[in-house]
Amino acid sequence: MKFFLSALKKTILKHRIKVALLSIVLILWLFCLPKNLFKDPTSTVVDSSEGSLIGARIADDGQWRFPQMDAVPERFKQSILLFEDEYFYSHPGFNPISIIKAIGHNLTKETRRGGSTITQQVIRLSRKNQSRTYWEKLIEVFMATRLELRHSKEEILKRYASHTPYGGNVVGLETAAWRYFGIPAHELSWGQSAALAVLPNAPALIFPGRNEQTFLDKRNRLLKKLWNKEIIDKTTYVLALAEPLPQKPMPLPDIAPHLTERIRNEHPGERITTSVQRPLQQRLNLLAERHYQQLQSNEIHNLAILVLDVETRKVLGYVGNSPSAEEHSNYVDIITKKRSTGSTLKPFLFASLLDEGALLPNSLVEDVPTVINGYNPQNFNLKHVGTVPASKALSRSLNVPAVRLLREYGLQKFYNKLQKIEMESLDKPASHYGLSLILGGAESSLWEVTSTYASMASSLNYFLTHSSTYRNQEFTEASYLQNGTKDFGEEQFDPLAFGAGAIYSTFQSMYEVNRPEGDENWQFFDSSQPIAWKTGTSFGFKDAWAVGVTPKYAIGVWAGNADGEGRPGLTGITAAAPLLFDVLDALPQSGWFQEPFDDLTEIEVCAQSGFRASIYCDDIKKEFVPTRGTRSGACPYHQQVFLDASEKFRVNSECYSLEDMVAKNWFVLPPILEYYYTSSNPNYQPLPPYLDGCSILENNLMEFIYPKKNEAVLLPKDLGNKTSEIILKLAHQQSDAVVYWYLDETFVGKTENFHELILDIKPSNYILTAVDNQGNQIQQMLEVRSASGE
């Protein structure tokens, strides 16, 4: 009995040991595979919206290894299964018959034969091709069965096709298809598929001129086997035999190099499908090269082009730089770099003023010499026109009206508006930029500026098609990702930044009158489709911008030198605008924006001044303006004057009978505006002179042009002289007036017709007085300082 119990205990112990060992083996089997079978770094791969490769960057370990394939092409699948593992879909991860045959072959013959299945080869690849021992084979079989349980056969095939070596630093079927044939894997022919099926078995065969016949024989044997198995017909077989073998690796496509590099930094090791349209991108590359050839003659070496879809805010074309040499920083992605904005922010100010009713599209704005706290803005042509319609001031990019309007609107208020529309590059307080903000005193990127223009167009489109509503995240950053949609926020009735009427009026001004003043080659900018566009030139001729929008597209162009070197002639209208219009011609037709009548109001406007018509305006027209335009003031430049019976002289009750007076409405500008306005508007009719004997004491007949009020006059360092000359200027509405000049009540001279007085003067503070021959007088403080600080 004791012997029986002892034997029973030993049997139970042995059983428990077996169970324990089996449990351990089972646990090892269950956990023998790492969560991520392959941890090798992968290449960054960039596809166009059509799914075509447009760029790639090598993996961190120096291998061309594309991310795992989504599917294995049928031709390659049939080829690899017939060549490597004909019973792939029926075995559990290993093929006992193949293993036995391989062992027998290896024991009896000098050559070596493998018996590994595709599943085992996946394990071997994941284990970095360990030495081929029987122990290693046992491990492969063990792990292969676990792999079969974890993944489907199709998943295993994808891993095999994605990680097999194809010679040199080429890893994976997709990589090999591009490197050896210049096409994606799904386009491989039967001959190409068979060649790539046999290559992983002996990657060294790929080197041109070495083992080429061996490579050819192996491929052809596989093709014959495919024919014998009736997978391909005889015609296909014959044609496949005639196909050439792959030679040395080809360079990968790189038609959007700067975008590819950007994606490598933002999505390293991923395969990204972008929204870029390959045909358009190739067209943009050709345009960039052509314009670069033209610009480099003026030593302008860099340019950039960005095309966005207005509705989706997706990138359609991306040229980060010109095809220049490395010494000209051709590797720099200009699109993302901050540059002086030039005049590209002016439409935002224009729209802001329109939206609040502080301005009407064609209201006259002042363009006269201006000094504000020592800041003296200048127009590009260094001229002034007195007054100019706001739309023309915008389209001609006049700097002085823009600065005066910004001061009127409020610097901080405009800065807050720019923050609201996601101009994040403005990362310093408003006081840092000052009024120069509107002339390029701030920096932004082509990416940000073009995206903001696109957002304005999108806001207008949405208002027109969605029951007069807006979205609270309309001004969002553009995206180059094809998949996914941008979140533009929830609907609301109030605009986020600009109303639809203000946006439409701004675009209409940018479209109708945007012509390069004095440029005789305007026909070069003509286009078959309308566009609202704006140019910009930074101080020192360092940055040339041209940005435009249609209902479907937003286009941004920049030209200049990446190192910031300025060049004469580097302006938006000459260097960037021609390229903008060439890009526009490469895009499909998109029509023009519809009028948002729900945010427009028809009012009576003074035809001559562009202001809301007053009772003294004779020439009145009706015009649709942004709804809040009804808040704008009436025309300030029309007034009623009284003339004698001949209507040649002004009169008043002191010198002329009331019943004989003729009342007439007259367009009258203040003296300084009139002084500059008449030079470019010969049809302007100044007020008639007063009849002899009539008093003309008025406070607004004269105005100092120079020096302006609160402006200090700075004298140059003297060359041994104690005084220096300055020129005093004054505008007078009476052409025949005589003006007498005084400094501190001391008479210093008189002027007639043109009131400019050259005066020797010492640094000091004075009271400057001007009195005309009718007794009208103006006076202001005059501060004269020496440049030496004395």
Side-chain angles (χ1 to χ4, degrees):
M1 186 67 179
K2 289 182 178 180
F3 175 78
F4 174 75
L5 291 175
S6 177
L8 181 61
K9 288 180 179 179
K10 289 180 179 180
T11 301
I12 293 173
L13 181 60
K14 288 180 181 180
H15 178 72
R16 288 178 176 175
I17 292 174
K18 288 180 180 179
V19 171
L21 289 174
L22 287 173
S23 299
I24 292 172
V25 171
L26 179 61
I27 292 172
L28 287 174
W29 183 79
L30 286 173
F31 296 99
C32 66
L33 287 179
K35 185 175 181 180
N36 295 318
L37 200 57
F38 294 94
K39 297 181 180 180
D40 302 310
T42 55
S43 302
T44 303
V45 181
V46 180
D47 292 329
S48 68
S49 59
E50 304 88 358
S52 178
L53 181 68
I54 60 174
R57 293 295 178 267
I58 201 165
D60 291 341
D61 61 354
Q63 302 292 306
W64 282 110
R65 185 187 298 106
F66 283 18
Q68 183 170 304
M69 303 176 67
D70 293 329
V72 179
E74 187 64 26
R75 289 172 182 167
F76 178 79
K77 182 193 294 186
Q78 295 289 351
S79 299
I80 196 64
L81 291 180
L82 204 56
F83 183 75
E84 288 283 1
D85 193 352
E86 196 169 350
Y87 300 98
F88 175 72
Y89 283 102
S90 58
H91 64 63
F94 67 97
N95 189 332
I97 297 175
S98 294
I99 293 175
I100 293 170
K101 287 182 178 179
I103 293 174
H105 178 91
N106 296 337
L107 290 175
T108 59
K109 299 184 180 180
E110 295 183 1
T111 57
R112 286 289 177 262
R113 174 180 173 180
S116 299
T117 62
I118 286 178
T119 311
Q120 288 176 261
Q121 292 184 53
V122 170
I123 296 297
R124 185 172 72 246
L125 290 170
S126 72
R127 291 173 58 79
K128 303 303 180 188
N129 290 316
Q130 301 269 350
S131 58
R132 296 191 177 187
T133 63
Y134 288 112
W135 174 248
E136 181 62 27
K137 284 289 182 183
L138 184 61
I139 293 175
E140 288 177 9
V141 169
F142 187 74
M143 297 179 70
T145 56
R146 181 66 183 92
L147 183 62
E148 289 275 348
L149 183 66
R150 178 189 287 185
H151 296 294
S152 67
K153 293 286 186 178
E154 299 303 324
E155 286 292 324
I156 294 170
L157 263 180
K158 284 191 287 186
R159 279 167 171 74
Y160 174 82
S162 300
H163 294 278
T164 47
Y166 283 89
N169 64 347
V170 179
V171 178
L173 173 64
E174 185 70 20
T175 316
W178 279 106
R179 293 287 277 162
Y180 295 132
F181 298 108
I183 57 175
H186 68 270
E187 293 182 9
L188 290 171
S189 66
W190 279 108
Q192 293 166 338
S193 297
L196 294 183
V198 303
L199 190 57
N201 189 260
L205 296 178
I206 193 61
F207 293 102
R210 190 199 312 172
N211 302 322
E212 195 163 350
Q213 188 59 46
T214 304
F215 188 8
L216 182 65
D217 292 341
K218 292 185 73 170
R219 186 202 69 173
N220 291 349
R221 282 196 298 272
L222 175 56
L223 287 171
K224 188 173 183 181
K225 194 173 182 181
L226 288 165
W227 176 38
N228 291 335
K229 292 284 186 178
E230 297 183 351
I231 296 174
I232 60 176
D233 57 31
K234 186 174 182 179
T235 302
T236 303
Y237 168 64
V238 173
L239 292 174
L241 289 175
E243 292 186 45
L245 292 173
Q247 300 298 309
K248 64 180 181 179
M250 302 177 181
L252 293 172
D254 199 21
I255 68 170
H258 298 89
L259 177 59
T260 300
E261 191 64 23
R262 177 176 176 178
I263 292 174
R264 185 188 69 82
N265 293 326
E266 297 177 0
H267 303 275
E270 296 182 40
R271 183 160 199 155
I272 299 297
T273 299
T274 68
S275 51
V276 171
Q277 297 176 355
R278 185 186 179 96
L280 175 62
Q281 180 67 31
Q282 291 173 318
R283 176 66 175 153
L284 296 182
N285 289 344
L286 292 175
L287 290 175
E289 183 174 1
R290 190 178 82 194
H291 282 267
Y292 163 68
Q293 296 298 333
Q294 297 170 358
L295 292 172
Q296 70 171 344
S297 62
N298 189 27
E299 297 184 24
I300 301 170
H301 300 290
N302 305 101
L303 59 81
I305 307 169
L306 180 64
V307 180
L308 301 178
D309 182 292
V310 163
E311 182 180 354
T312 63
R313 223 65 45 82
K314 297 291 182 70
V315 174
L316 303 179
Y318 193 109
V319 179
N321 210 326
S322 59
S324 58
E326 186 174 348
E327 59 264 27
H328 298 303
S329 305
N330 64 340
Y331 52 85
V332 175
D333 184 359
I334 300 292
I335 288 176
T336 61
K337 299 300 181 288
K338 295 201 294 185
R339 308 288 301 200
S340 169
T341 54
S343 298
T344 57
L345 303 186
K346 288 178 181 176
F348 306 146
L349 175 61
F350 188 77
S352 298
L353 288 160
L354 292 178
D355 192 53
E356 295 193 3
L359 187 71
L360 296 182
N362 295 303
S363 296
L364 292 177
V365 294
E366 296 183 7
D367 178 25
V368 294
T370 301
V371 178
I372 304 172
N373 297 327
Y375 178 50
N376 180 24
Q378 297 289 334
N379 292 325
F380 182 78
N381 60 7
L382 302 180
K383 297 179 181 179
H384 300 279
V385 294
T387 62
V388 61
S391 58
K392 187 170 290 189
L394 172 65
S395 64
R396 293 185 177 178
S397 206
L398 298 178
N399 293 333
V400 173
V403 170
R404 297 177 72 95
L405 287 172
L406 177 56
R407 181 181 62 172
E408 177 184 330
Y409 184 76
L411 173 62
Q412 185 64 50
K413 187 177 178 182
F414 182 59
Y415 176 85
N416 294 342
K417 181 66 68 75
L418 294 178
Q419 294 293 320
K420 186 176 289 187
I421 62 176
E422 305 296 331
M423 295 288 289
E424 296 179 353
S425 58
L426 277 69
D427 52 5
K428 297 179 176 60
S431 58
H432 172 82
Y433 304 106
L435 294 175
S436 67
L437 170 66
I438 201 66
L439 304 184
E443 291 186 335
S444 186
S445 65
L446 189 65
W447 177 263
E448 187 174 62
V449 171
T450 309
S451 180
T452 307
Y453 274 65
S455 296
M456 289 182 70
S458 177
S459 181
L460 175 55
N461 290 342
Y462 195 85
F463 180 88
L464 290 165
T465 56
H466 291 77
S467 304
S468 302
T469 57
Y470 304 91
R471 294 179 289 192
N472 62 6
Q473 294 182 35
E474 186 69 66
F475 289 82
T476 187
E477 185 182 7
S479 172
Y480 52 72
L481 300 175
Q482 171 73 1
N483 299 325
T485 56
K486 299 288 290 185
D487 180 12
F488 297 111
E490 300 177 353
E491 286 189 349
Q492 59 184 37
F493 287 106
D494 294 326
L496 179 65
F498 316 110
I503 295 174
Y504 177 80
S505 298
T506 301
F507 287 169
Q508 194 70 16
S509 298
M510 294 164 66
Y511 163 56
E512 286 185 345
V513 292
N514 201 336
R515 301 293 184 269
E517 186 175 12
D519 195 306
E520 298 172 353
N521 296 319
W522 170 246
Q523 65 271 18
F524 294 124
F525 302 127
D526 277 341
S527 176
S528 58
Q529 58 178 318
I531 183 172
W533 61 290
K534 183 74 188 73
T535 59
T537 305
S538 68
F539 179 77
F541 304 103
K542 298 179 180 180
D543 304 275
W545 297 75
V547 187
V549 287
T550 72
K552 291 184 179 180
Y553 308 106
I555 308 168
V557 171
W558 178 94
N561 288 309
D563 60 4
E565 179 187 358
R567 293 297 304 166
L570 178 58
T571 66
I573 200 68
T574 59
L579 179 53
L580 170 78
F581 278 87
D582 279 350
V583 172
L584 178 63
D585 287 339
L587 295 170
Q589 288 283 335
S590 61
W592 184 241
F593 298 96
Q594 300 177 35
E595 292 183 271
F597 288 110
D598 286 352
D599 198 40
L600 294 173
T601 301
E602 189 177 40
I603 64 171
E604 291 186 338
V605 174
C606 177
Q608 198 165 4
S609 70
F611 282 88
R612 192 162 53 84
S614 71
I615 59 174
Y616 300 120
C617 294
D618 292 328
D619 187 3
I620 296 174
K621 64 179 182 179
K622 290 188 176 181
E623 190 175 275
F624 281 98
V625 301
T627 300
R628 293 180 181 176
T630 55
R631 303 177 182 178
S632 63
C635 175
Y637 297 128
H638 276 88
Q639 64 184 50
Q640 190 174 61
V641 297
F642 295 95
L643 307 176
D644 68 348
S646 68
E647 298 187 6
K648 293 182 179 179
F649 299 97
R650 278 189 290 165
V651 295
N652 55 42
S653 59
E654 295 180 5
C655 62
Y656 206 79
S657 63
L658 293 175
E659 60 269 20
D660 294 330
M661 290 183 185
V662 178
K664 198 165 187 178
N665 297 330
W666 209 279
F667 178 67
V668 183
L669 293 174
I672 190 169
L673 300 186
E674 182 183 82
Y675 177 83
Y676 290 98
Y677 187 79
T678 52
S679 62
S680 55
N681 293 272
N683 294 328
Y684 176 76
Q685 294 182 347
L687 282 170
Y690 273 93
L691 187 67
D692 288 342
C694 291
S695 172
I696 58 171
L697 290 178
E698 294 185 11
N699 294 326
N700 61 347
L701 282 177
M702 294 183 290
E703 190 172 350
F704 287 115
I705 299 174
Y706 183 81
K708 296 294 293 180
K709 189 176 182 180
N710 301 322
E711 175 186 1
V713 177
L714 191 64
L715 299 178
K717 292 184 179 180
D718 63 76
L719 301 175
N721 300 320
K722 294 183 179 180
T723 62
S724 295
E725 292 183 345
I726 64 171
I727 299 178
L728 304 177
K729 294 184 180 182
L730 176 146
H732 200 295
Q733 285 190 331
Q734 298 293 324
S735 60
D736 59 348
V738 180
V739 175
Y740 302 90
W741 300 77
Y742 297 85
L743 278 183
D744 292 341
E745 299 183 356
T746 300
F747 175 73
V748 292
K750 74 173 183 177
T751 55
E752 300 180 35
N753 299 322
F754 297 100
H755 303 290
E756 297 183 3
L757 181 68
I758 300 176
L759 190 66
D760 285 334
I761 198 166
K762 298 178 180 179
S764 186
N765 293 326
Y766 304 91
I767 297 177
L768 176 64
T769 305
V771 182
D772 69 8
N773 55 333
Q774 298 296 326
N776 298 293
Q777 174 181 306
I778 56 173
Q779 192 175 74
Q780 74 177 38
M781 292 294 300
L782 173 61
E783 179 184 357
V784 181
R785 295 185 307 190
S786 170
S788 61
E790 298 178 358

